Amino acid sequence: MTILAIDTSCDDTAAAVTRDNRILSNVIWSQAALHAKWGGVVPSLAKRAHQDRLPWVVSRALRLARANLPNSANLFTRHSFGVGGPNSPNLIAAIAVTVGPGLAPALEAGIHYAKQLALLHEIPLIPVNHLEGHVISSLARPNLPNSPNLPNSLALIVSGGHTQLVLSFPSHRILADTLDDALGEALDKAARMLGLGYPGGAVLEKFAKQGNPQKYKLPLPLLGRENQGAFSFSGLKTAFYRLVEGKELTKQEICDLAACFQSTALDHLIRVVSKTISHFNHSSHSNNFDFSDLLIGGGVAANIELRKRLRKLGKQFDLKVHFPYSKKLCTDNAAMIGLAAQWAFARGEAAKTQAEINLIDRQPNLTFPSL
Amino acid sequence: MKIINLGKSARQTAIISAVAALRRGGLVIYPTETVYGAGVDAASPQAVAKLAKFKSRPLGKPYSVAAADQKMAERYVKLNHTAKKLYRAFLPGPLTVISKLKTFKPFSHSSHFNHFLAPGVASETGTLGIRISSYPLVTAIVKKFGRPITATSANEAYKKRPYQISDIINQISDRKKQLIDLIIDAGPLPRREPSTVIDTTLDDPVTLRVGDIKISNEDKILSRSPENTQNLAKELWQKYQHFAGSPRCEAGRRAIIFALEGPLGAGKTEFTKGLARAMGIKKEIVSPTYNLSNEYSPALTINHQPSTILHHLDAWRIESGQELENLDFAGIITDKSVIAVEWADRVADTIHAYSEDAVIIWIKIKYAKKQNERLINWGIL
């Protein structure tokens, strides 16, 4: 099934064309691409900018995928290869759009545009949870025509806005969530305290590489309570503030402090994930919740140190660990929304009539249910 | 396309040829301490358009520029305290520091707002990334040229990093090769990471008059733990909740704003957690920094009355009251909601403007002596 997907949950305007679990195009108009990413929404631009950019981003996604919308006297046919008939493999069969979570006015811009397209071209509209996109993003393949079965999985979403461990497929249940800051946000804020700008999580990683993670002692959050299904980074943030406040830092101190913060934050993350898995392996539910794969999604999934530690964890618990195959799939994008939409469609969540399509609304606080 | 092989004798020739090519609006491929860079005159719209063609760059992606020294940088941008510290510690070197342009006027026509730079070099929000290379040849070229040149890597967007000239030449079409005017070939470069980009613009001092915030009947406590801070929120809620309403409730009710001020990690979200619990909200309150605004409703509505909604806003990345209005601040005040605003000092003017329509409780949280201690002052604005 060929899907045109749209995501405007954050400051980037994104559109993509996907077929099964293959990505045909993935276009992002990034207004702050030079800046280190996973920062969040840019307030001044939230709604208007999306409205201005959507037509361009969507038509570019279609063109790169050599795809057409049905019933349209479109401009691309002449340049397409073997495309045009109603059974053509690149004829868009449905539109998918992110309905949440995100900033309401930003979501609204994408939903409004997607509705117009679906009604105009008389194809279904599939509302998608942005977080399901992150869960599924690591299963995308650049070049495999057949969709695999979805494995029973644990999924870890680590981004600027979310830190969640989720039991996935066929439905999603939260096993652990943050009590305060998201991991990406905590790394961003630590970078700021070191004078590395904001958002600076990706910068922090670079400096951490040249630092000694043992140099300073930071308290591990929720030590001894890692089995309670919670992450927390605000205490760590406070301790870090106390450590750096009012000091003139040398180059080496900045590197060491970056290494210590990142290392402690990741220690905590891994401890909670690991305790939660052991809990499941030993509990009486284990037959009902059998999982073989660990899926990682979100902007922080690009962090090399995080990848190293999660691969080690995978070995320890005999889980197959999947990361998105490109950095572009880690941060917010529309391709993952297209992938998630395939499964949402199979679950019967597509709006097909005009009345159903009109009912689709933004859900800024959308989340997965807890276990 | 001319190629100069950089030997000792050719250095001066390379500098002169590069400057001549740049003056003609040409595209120069040059070595740096990281990867090969693609340089054009950052002030020439034609040259920057040529570069965009060469890079096949997605729209909206600005270019950083190479300056000869801090003085040249300061002709274009305002360096704040953070930026100055970074310049001192890390430049020249593989670091790109983003600052605000000096002459940026938002929403004016793009070709007019900055006569120093071609459109597309700075970001849409009026920021510019500047780097000062530690590779002496680059600095020598820029110095002689007299103004910044673009400092983007010499590969197409999403293609292999260029550590030698063949990495560039073998990847591009003949048509693209024709766009290059000069290549300065220093042989294979050591495989170092591209420069690190640091955005300092959010550290700018806030443009508001903090002196205007006058709290009457000021109270204060020493909070010894996050729980203490949450309890204070609960007490303040109990004291003021009789004002709280909802969109269609009777007259006399008003919106309540809890304006929270305090440094990173002080406990602003902690306070909001306490407030939410006191209001009967079951959902976990998390930091709104990423989303700017989160909305929560209490779990139960008594007698089918529309319930009071809690809006949790974060003004950290908000730069003007107008941006707060974009989040429909006026609307949530009309709805008589409860609003917790973190970093309220950044938008004090806008909040102040609603003092007729809302009860404003200003809360200042400061770090105290011990690890978990906070000094909290509060009062009605």
Side-chain angles (χ1 to χ4, degrees):
Chain A
M1 181 177 192
T2 308
I3 290 178
L4 168 66
I6 293 170
D7 181 276
T8 57
S9 58
C10 186
D11 57 333
D12 294 343
T13 312
V17 176
T18 59
R19 188 160 74 235
D20 306 324
N21 68 332
R22 197 155 59 124
I23 296 167
L24 303 182
S25 68
N26 189 10
V27 178
I28 300 171
W29 183 327
S30 178
Q31 76 86 32
L34 183 69
H35 303 195
K37 278 298 297 190
W38 81 78
V41 188
V42 174
S44 61
L45 298 166
K47 188 173 180 181
R48 206 201 61 215
H50 284 308
Q51 286 167 346
D52 292 350
R53 292 166 185 162
L54 273 164
W56 187 87
V57 171
V58 165
S59 74
R60 186 163 170 85
L62 288 170
R63 191 148 42 96
L64 289 177
R66 301 185 190 288
N68 291 318
L69 285 159
N71 308 325
S72 55
N74 65 73
L75 300 163
F76 311 122
T77 317
R78 266 178 300 141
H79 307 291
S80 310
F81 291 74
V83 169
N87 297 320
S88 151
N90 284 353
L91 193 68
I92 301 295
I95 313 271
V97 67
T98 301
V99 292
L103 184 69
L107 291 166
E108 175 66 37
I111 294 171
H112 180 74
Y113 192 73
K115 278 182 181 174
Q116 282 183 328
L117 282 183
L119 293 173
L120 184 65
H121 298 281
E122 297 175 345
I123 45 177
L125 180 60
I126 310 167
V128 177
N129 180 338
H130 184 80
L131 293 173
E132 187 167 14
H134 277 310
V135 165
I136 232 162
S137 61
S138 62
L139 296 175
R141 295 290 172 265
N143 249 322
L144 266 186
N146 296 318
S147 59
N149 291 319
L150 291 174
N152 288 331
S153 310
L154 268 186
L156 180 66
I157 304 168
V158 274
S159 68
H162 292 91
T163 307
Q164 287 186 348
L165 184 65
V166 178
L167 192 63
S168 278
F169 308 123
S171 59
H172 307 279
R173 290 276 182 279
I174 297 176
L175 300 180
D177 202 347
T178 183
L179 297 175
D180 34 61
D181 292 4
L183 174 60
E185 185 186 340
L187 295 170
D188 281 339
K189 287 182 172 170
R192 185 185 194 249
M193 292 185 210
L194 291 175
L196 301 179
Y198 183 91
V203 174
L204 187 91
E205 184 188 357
K206 290 200 174 186
F207 283 84
K209 252 189 231 162
Q210 297 157 42
N212 170 10
Q214 310 295 332
K215 184 85 189 210
Y216 303 93
K217 189 117 188 74
L218 285 164
L220 265 170
L222 304 177
L223 190 60
R225 288 178 283 158
E226 282 96 346
N227 56 355
Q228 295 177 359
F231 303 99
S232 168
F233 298 97
S234 78
L236 181 59
K237 187 174 72 182
T238 303
F240 195 65
Y241 181 89
R242 293 289 201 180
L243 199 56
V244 303
E245 87 182 299
K247 284 194 195 114
E248 277 294 321
L249 300 170
T250 66
K251 234 186 222 189
Q252 191 54 46
E253 281 169 342
I254 291 177
C255 294
D256 290 339
L257 284 161
C260 289
F261 187 90
Q262 178 178 276
S263 173
T264 312
L266 292 180
D267 275 349
H268 168 58
L269 181 88
I270 296 291
R271 289 174 78 101
V272 173
V273 174
S274 147
K275 276 276 154 63
T276 311
I277 296 175
S278 330
H279 174 74
F280 266 85
N281 284 349
H282 294 118
S283 82
S284 52
H285 300 302
S286 57
N287 292 332
N288 302 337
F289 301 110
D290 198 21
F291 41 81
S292 52
D293 295 64
L294 180 58
L295 315 179
I296 319 295
V300 192
N303 183 300
I304 303 293
E305 181 64 24
L306 173 94
R307 289 188 174 214
K308 239 197 261 171
R309 295 193 191 203
L310 284 169
R311 282 204 192 92
K312 200 171 140 204
L313 182 106
K315 273 202 192 110
Q316 187 189 340
F317 289 102
D318 202 19
L319 292 171
K320 214 171 141 201
V321 186
H322 305 255
F323 296 99
Y325 70 77
S326 88
K327 227 177 189 167
K328 208 173 164 187
L329 274 172
C330 293
T331 47
D332 293 339
N333 67 88
M336 66 180 193
I337 302 305
L339 301 174
Q342 316 273 355
W343 302 100
F345 187 84
R347 292 194 299 260
E349 290 170 15
K352 290 180 176 145
T353 66
Q354 187 172 346
E356 282 172 354
I357 288 173
N358 282 330
L359 274 180
I360 290 179
D361 199 7
R362 61 194 190 185
Q363 299 178 56
N365 296 324
L366 190 59
T367 181
F368 295 136
S370 301
L371 189 68
Chain B
M1 183 172 76
K2 195 170 136 195
I3 299 181
I4 295 180
N5 280 302
L6 198 62
K8 266 182 190 152
S9 54
R11 193 182 133 87
Q12 209 50 37
T13 323
I15 294 171
I16 292 166
S17 312
V19 170
L22 290 165
R23 291 235 161 90
R24 287 194 307 268
L27 170 59
V28 178
I29 308 289
Y30 59 89
T32 73
E33 74 273 36
T34 58
V35 298
Y36 274 95
V40 300
D41 180 355
S44 157
Q46 289 81 13
V48 171
K50 189 177 192 178
L51 178 65
K53 213 185 235 176
F54 175 75
K55 293 271 296 180
S56 304
R57 197 84 183 264
L59 276 153
K61 213 175 163 175
Y63 295 103
S64 52
V65 300
D69 47 34
Q70 183 170 338
K71 211 174 125 204
M72 187 187 275
E74 285 186 280
R75 284 190 349 226
Y76 295 84
V77 294
K78 280 176 283 200
L79 298 184
N80 60 20
H81 181 64
T82 308
K84 280 189 179 148
K85 273 201 327 212
L86 291 168
Y87 271 69
R88 219 172 21 245
F90 293 100
L91 295 182
L95 187 73
T96 302
V97 180
I98 297 175
S99 302
K100 286 210 176 108
L101 287 174
K102 271 185 162 164
T103 53
F104 180 70
K105 291 188 201 77
F107 308 120
S108 63
H109 193 270
S110 57
S111 59
H112 296 300
F113 68 64
N114 195 325
H115 55 276
F116 292 110
L117 290 171
V121 174
S123 78
E124 293 171 40
T125 47
T127 60
L128 177 68
I130 297 186
R131 101 185 201 73
I132 299 170
S133 177
S134 57
Y135 199 86
L137 180 79
V138 181
T139 314
I141 291 172
V142 179
K143 202 167 212 165
K144 197 161 175 61
F145 184 55
R147 56 176 183 264
I149 66 172
T150 57
T152 178
S153 61
N155 52 335
E156 283 184 76
Y158 306 118
K159 292 282 164 64
K160 190 177 167 191
R161 286 175 189 167
Y163 287 107
Q164 50 193 351
I165 295 301
S166 59
D167 288 345
I168 306 164
I169 296 298
N170 297 342
Q171 279 190 68
I172 58 173
S173 64
D174 284 344
R175 218 181 43 174
K176 289 216 163 160
K177 280 178 201 160
Q178 282 168 15
L179 295 170
I180 305 173
D181 296 89
L182 175 68
I183 293 177
I184 303 173
D185 188 352
L189 302 174
R191 301 204 155 239
R192 297 206 186 97
E193 288 277 301
S195 84
T196 302
V197 179
I198 293 183
D199 186 348
T200 61
T201 56
L202 274 158
D203 288 341
D204 279 346
V206 194
T207 51
L208 59 90
R209 306 175 301 274
V210 179
D212 285 356
I213 301 167
K214 288 248 165 24
I215 300 176
S216 53
N217 307 321
E218 188 166 313
D219 279 306
K220 69 175 150 193
I221 65 153
L222 182 71
S223 161
R224 293 181 195 281
S225 67
E227 291 73 35
N228 271 189
T229 304
Q230 290 200 17
N231 279 335
L232 172 67
K234 194 176 157 194
E235 281 170 30
L236 290 182
W237 170 248
Q238 284 163 354
K239 191 166 168 194
Y240 295 106
Q241 76 178 122
H242 60 275
F243 286 111
S246 59
R248 285 176 305 281
C249 65
E250 69 271 38
R253 302 290 175 105
R254 280 195 276 173
I256 305 177
I257 302 175
F258 290 91
L260 297 157
E261 180 188 342
L264 268 178
K268 298 180 293 297
T269 301
E270 209 60 59
F271 181 95
T272 312
K273 276 175 188 286
L275 175 66
R277 201 160 303 162
M279 288 175 66
I281 290 164
K282 294 274 186 293
K283 220 178 150 205
E284 193 68 56
I285 302 293
V286 296
S287 162
T289 302
Y290 184 83
N291 241 4
L292 300 175
S293 151
N294 291 328
E295 194 184 306
Y296 303 91
S297 333
L300 289 173
T301 54
I302 303 150
N303 306 333
H304 301 287
Q305 290 276 326
S307 54
T308 306
I309 289 170
L310 172 65
H311 291 266
H312 189 191
L313 306 186
D314 189 317
W316 188 12
R317 293 182 296 119
I318 285 180
E319 294 183 348
S320 70
Q322 184 52 49
E323 292 182 346
L324 195 61
E325 294 298 351
N326 285 351
L327 299 175
D328 197 21
F329 195 63
I332 55 185
I333 293 214
T334 320
D335 284 351
K336 305 185 176 70
S337 304
V338 174
I339 308 156
V341 188
E342 300 198 9
W343 301 95
D345 42 326
R346 295 189 73 105
V347 287
D349 289 4
T350 308
I351 293 177
H352 217 194
Y354 289 99
S355 51
E356 295 288 306
D357 312 289
V359 180
I360 304 171
I361 302 149
W362 202 276
I363 297 137
K364 293 182 185 176
I365 311 178
K366 290 193 192 104
Y367 280 97
K369 278 210 184 90
K370 289 190 189 146
Q371 175 85 19
N372 279 327
E373 284 182 354
R374 304 287 186 276
L375 197 63
I376 307 181
N377 295 46
W378 74 91
I380 298 282
L381 200 63

